[in-house]
Amino acid sequence: MPHVPLAPGAAFRGKTGSPYGDVIQEIDWSVGEIMKALKDNGLDKNTVVIFTSDNGPWLNYGNHAGSSGGLREGKGNSFEGGQRVPCLVRWKGVTPEGIVCNKLTSTIDLLPTIANICGTKLPSKKIDGVDILPLLKGDMEATPRKYFY
């Protein structure tokens, strides 16, 4: 949703002074609605919620792109501003609250990790992702990935 062309819903359009800010405000509200629905249906205690992104901001779109938070560059290059993205995990009773993990992971790690959580097999064709479940459980000494190319 935060990709151009930006299209905030009518309830959010013009609220922040920037179309990008409007979209981010709508995403924030939408995530809140999902979290509320999980709680209302008694699913919040056994559901892993992962909020992440696919790449850094598309900086050549100016204030329609977001921010790399002081990191160099953005989407489309290999500098940290294009590669490093937020990832928030909420898994009550499993992922410790308030910790920061600085280990190198990737969205490609989500498939093997979720497969492990669900007790299912990975596809027969090998992928480059690794299981990062120890990190989700708060083991900051774990090194699920030895190398990252």
Side-chain angles (χ1 to χ4, degrees):
M1 184 174 179
H3 286 262
V4 292
L6 295 170
F12 297 90
R13 203 169 301 127
K15 296 289 185 184
T16 68
S18 145
Y20 186 80
D22 296 347
V23 164
I24 297 303
Q25 189 175 65
E26 186 170 358
I27 291 171
D28 183 56
W29 173 84
S30 298
V31 170
E33 290 294 297
I34 292 167
M35 301 305 286
K36 183 179 179 302
L38 288 172
K39 186 173 185 173
D40 290 349
N41 290 284
L43 299 171
D44 61 322
K45 291 180 177 65
N46 67 349
T47 300
V48 182
V49 177
I50 302 170
F51 185 93
T52 190
S53 179
D54 58 347
N55 50 247
W58 211 348
L59 296 177
N60 55 339
Y61 279 92
N63 69 352
H64 295 279
S67 167
S68 60
L71 299 174
R72 184 175 177 186
E73 293 296 332
K75 178 179 180 167
N77 67 67
S78 58
F79 289 109
E80 281 191 278
Q83 305 293 321
R84 195 177 272 212
V85 298
C87 180
L88 304 172
V89 177
R90 182 179 154 268
W91 190 6
K92 283 190 173 188
V94 179
T95 301
E97 294 181 25
I99 64 168
V100 174
C101 176
N102 287 312
K103 297 286 184 161
L104 190 58
T105 63
S106 178
T107 52
I108 200 167
D109 298 334
L110 294 178
L111 176 62
T113 304
I114 293 170
N116 182 17
I117 291 167
C118 296
T120 190
K121 294 179 184 176
L122 288 171
S124 59
K125 296 201 181 233
K126 184 166 174 46
I127 66 165
D128 293 330
V130 298
D131 180 3
I132 60 169
L133 183 57
L135 297 175
L136 295 185
K137 290 183 172 183
D139 180 0
M140 294 304 116
E141 300 302 315
T143 53
R145 174 176 277 106
K146 304 288 186 215
Y147 306 100
F148 195 83
Y149 298 105

